[in-house]
Amino acid sequence: MNNKQKSKLQELLIFLYDNNPYYSKIMKHMGCNPRIDSAVTIYQDMPFMDKKTLLEVNEEILTPSLKTKEYKFDFTSGTSGAVLKCYKTENERNALALNIWMQRKKIDLQVRPKNYISIFNRDFENVFGKFYNTNRDNVINLFEKIAELKPRWISGPVSVFEKMAYLILDGYSYIIDTLCVIEFMGEFVSVEQRNLIEGTFKCQTVNNYGAQEVWCMAFECKNHRMHIQDRFCILDYYQKNQRSDKNELIVTSLNNMLMPIIKYRLGDIGTITKDDCECGNSSECIVLQGGRVGDVIYGTDILGNYFFDQLVWGVNHIFNNAIYAFCVKQIDPLVFQFIVVRGRTFCDEVRRTIEERMKKEIGENIEIRWEFVENVSFGNNGKLKKFITYVK
């Protein structure tokens, strides 16, 4: 935490102590007063919160005096299906939006709202429909509608662009010749996915790491380093197990006064680094480690989302895109259901290759059940879960 963050945190805690009953009660119960005590000390002692906490307290966490201002809310829905309203005043939203556009312009000076498209945007969905269904015909339809708009910059989930790239590699000739930058949002992107998308679309890619609760937390520079937006948030670790090197990231918003977010567990696994960067940005960086806390394969220390993504990428490289889409479900400690949308080159050798790798990495005694489907759909939150464990 740098000095500017400490100063803004002190201001935030004083404001909440005076104006927010929920946080005021917490601090008084802790026996501290931010007008007297160090903000860093208070921060360290404050309890962690997560989505379940926000759902339980509901609107109790909102600052009463700011509810009289103009505000809006966004919805977030994770794998649990529980819908959370994320409130922000117009001023808070404007500050966050302006910051994101400043980061984009560091990458591309010519990007403008008129040549930019967000697939996540509600207005876009109202016109062009949902992108959740990754059926080939639906992806082609989305692809063609985007191309008609001649965008310079597109934001959206990695999985959608990955499916479009596979279409191109499969002989589909529609291109977006105006495209300069693809901005990844909502999902972790592997090196292989990134190389595939950049090589196929012949454009640059950039990562925007954010959440509906706080919006952008880190944005990638031209050197592919994810710089924390330290004017607007503090990123830290939640370490449930001191022996594990997989740390869950937590965020504190320095911007949100209406719906304060302090020591909020994001569920994402990553590390925070302090390196000199040639781009001139001196803020710390994050390195995402390819999964969420719930993505670990039960009985192992393997991140399922990352493992299966790497496995299928390797198979597609060897067998010329044999798998169009997939999802793996661990339905029992030793039982895995492998759901596949087959490409034209899928064969028994592909199955044997996958099974051999899974047994080598996870355990020889596992059972793999295959299910072949026409499409694998996104969740309502716009994310494609490649690994799901139902094991408690």
Side-chain angles (χ1 to χ4, degrees):
M1 195 184 305
N2 60 43
N3 290 332
K4 288 184 178 179
Q5 287 177 309
K6 292 176 184 177
S7 177
K8 292 194 74 171
L9 178 62
Q10 194 90 40
E11 292 174 8
L12 171 67
L13 294 179
I14 290 172
F15 174 83
L16 297 179
Y17 189 85
D18 294 340
N19 297 281
N20 186 288
Y22 178 82
Y23 278 104
S24 181
K25 182 179 179 180
I26 289 176
M27 284 186 272
K28 288 176 180 176
H29 180 74
M30 291 166 53
C32 60
N33 183 338
R35 293 187 181 279
I36 303 170
D37 303 311
S38 161
V40 175
T41 302
I42 297 173
Y43 168 84
Q44 291 172 342
D45 292 339
M46 287 191 80
F48 293 98
M49 64 189 310
D50 53 21
K51 184 175 179 180
K52 183 174 181 290
T53 307
L54 290 180
L55 287 166
E56 288 174 349
V57 300
N58 201 359
E59 293 191 8
E60 291 177 29
I61 201 170
L62 301 183
T63 303
S65 60
L66 294 181
K67 290 174 68 176
T68 61
K69 309 286 184 180
E70 288 191 28
Y71 65 86
K72 294 181 180 179
F73 55 81
D74 304 296
F75 290 105
T76 178
S77 177
T79 54
S80 65
V83 175
L84 173 67
K85 289 182 178 180
C86 303
Y87 295 84
K88 297 176 189 68
T89 66
E90 283 295 318
N91 287 340
E92 290 169 353
R93 293 171 65 91
N94 290 340
L96 293 171
L98 179 61
N99 177 61
I100 294 173
W101 277 100
M102 288 174 62
Q103 305 314 311
R104 289 177 181 143
K105 285 186 176 293
K106 290 179 182 178
I107 301 295
D108 177 15
L109 283 172
Q110 296 185 55
V111 65
R112 302 283 189 277
K114 65 180 180 181
N115 59 25
Y116 165 86
I117 291 175
S118 172
I119 298 177
F120 279 126
N121 185 277
R122 194 171 298 171
D123 293 334
F124 179 87
E125 290 182 351
N126 290 338
V127 176
F128 299 110
K130 301 286 187 182
F131 58 85
Y132 302 155
N133 191 329
T134 59
N135 175 277
R136 179 185 173 92
D137 291 338
N138 289 342
V139 175
I140 290 175
N141 181 53
L142 178 65
F143 196 172
E144 293 181 351
K145 286 178 176 177
I146 289 174
E148 289 173 5
L149 296 174
K150 299 186 181 301
R152 182 180 181 84
W153 187 302
I154 305 177
S155 295
V158 178
S159 299
V160 170
F161 300 117
E162 184 182 32
K163 300 299 174 290
M164 290 179 180
Y166 281 135
L167 285 176
I168 295 171
L169 293 174
D170 202 31
Y172 182 66
S173 59
Y174 219 94
I175 62 171
I176 308 175
D177 54 12
T178 58
L179 188 60
C180 294
V181 182
I182 290 176
E183 177 184 345
F184 299 133
M185 300 174 69
E187 294 176 334
F188 171 80
V189 58
S190 67
V191 173
E192 291 80 10
Q193 284 175 308
R194 180 169 221 159
N195 290 340
L196 169 71
I197 292 167
E198 288 185 348
T200 306
F201 282 94
K202 310 299 181 187
C203 72
Q204 182 179 356
T205 61
V206 63
N207 252 319
N208 177 343
Y209 174 59
Q212 287 286 21
E213 293 89 334
V214 294
W215 289 15
C216 179
M217 293 175 280
F219 204 93
E220 195 172 47
C221 71
K222 291 183 178 181
N223 298 323
H224 293 316
R225 291 187 176 175
M226 294 285 291
H227 291 279
I228 296 171
Q229 302 302 293
D230 54 12
R231 289 175 51 221
F232 295 90
C233 69
I234 298 168
L235 278 176
D236 201 350
Y237 295 127
Y238 171 82
Q239 291 180 296
K240 187 175 182 179
N241 185 350
Q242 298 292 333
R243 293 171 295 177
S244 175
D245 62 348
K246 293 180 172 59
N247 298 314
E248 181 181 354
L249 294 171
I250 63 171
V251 65
T252 294
S253 172
L254 299 172
N255 176 79
N256 294 13
M257 302 290 194
L258 172 60
M259 182 177 170
I261 301 291
I262 298 178
K263 293 179 72 171
Y264 184 72
R265 295 175 59 184
L266 291 160
D268 295 319
I269 297 171
T271 58
I272 299 173
T273 65
K274 177 64 175 176
D275 300 308
D276 292 330
C277 184
E278 293 177 357
C279 78
N281 191 332
S282 60
S283 67
E284 293 181 319
C285 299
I286 61 167
V287 179
L288 297 174
Q289 294 179 299
R292 294 176 63 80
V293 172
D295 288 340
V296 177
I297 298 174
Y298 183 85
T300 74
D301 198 32
I302 299 171
L303 291 171
N305 237 29
Y306 184 75
F307 170 76
F308 289 110
D309 187 59
Q310 296 290 302
L311 172 57
V312 171
W313 185 90
V315 165
N316 277 340
H317 181 69
I318 296 170
F319 295 95
N320 193 22
N321 304 321
I323 295 177
Y324 176 69
F326 75 96
C327 176
V328 180
K329 298 179 180 180
Q330 186 178 19
I331 57 179
D332 195 76
L334 298 177
V335 181
F336 295 80
Q337 184 179 15
F338 214 116
I339 303 167
V340 174
V341 179
R342 289 173 287 190
R344 289 184 298 181
T345 60
F346 190 93
C347 59
D348 287 341
E349 184 64 22
V350 173
R351 292 177 61 170
R352 284 194 292 271
T353 301
I354 289 174
E355 289 178 357
E356 287 173 5
R357 173 77 185 278
M358 286 179 64
K359 289 185 177 183
K360 179 181 178 181
E361 298 286 340
I362 301 172
E364 288 291 336
N365 56 344
I366 63 171
E367 177 186 348
I368 303 162
R369 300 174 183 175
W370 292 87
E371 179 182 350
F372 301 105
V373 297
E374 291 299 317
N375 65 80
V376 177
S377 296
F378 288 80
N380 291 330
N381 59 351
K383 298 182 181 181
L384 180 62
K385 289 286 287 183
K386 294 178 180 178
F387 172 69
I388 302 170
T389 179
Y390 293 150
V391 179
K392 302 299 182 185

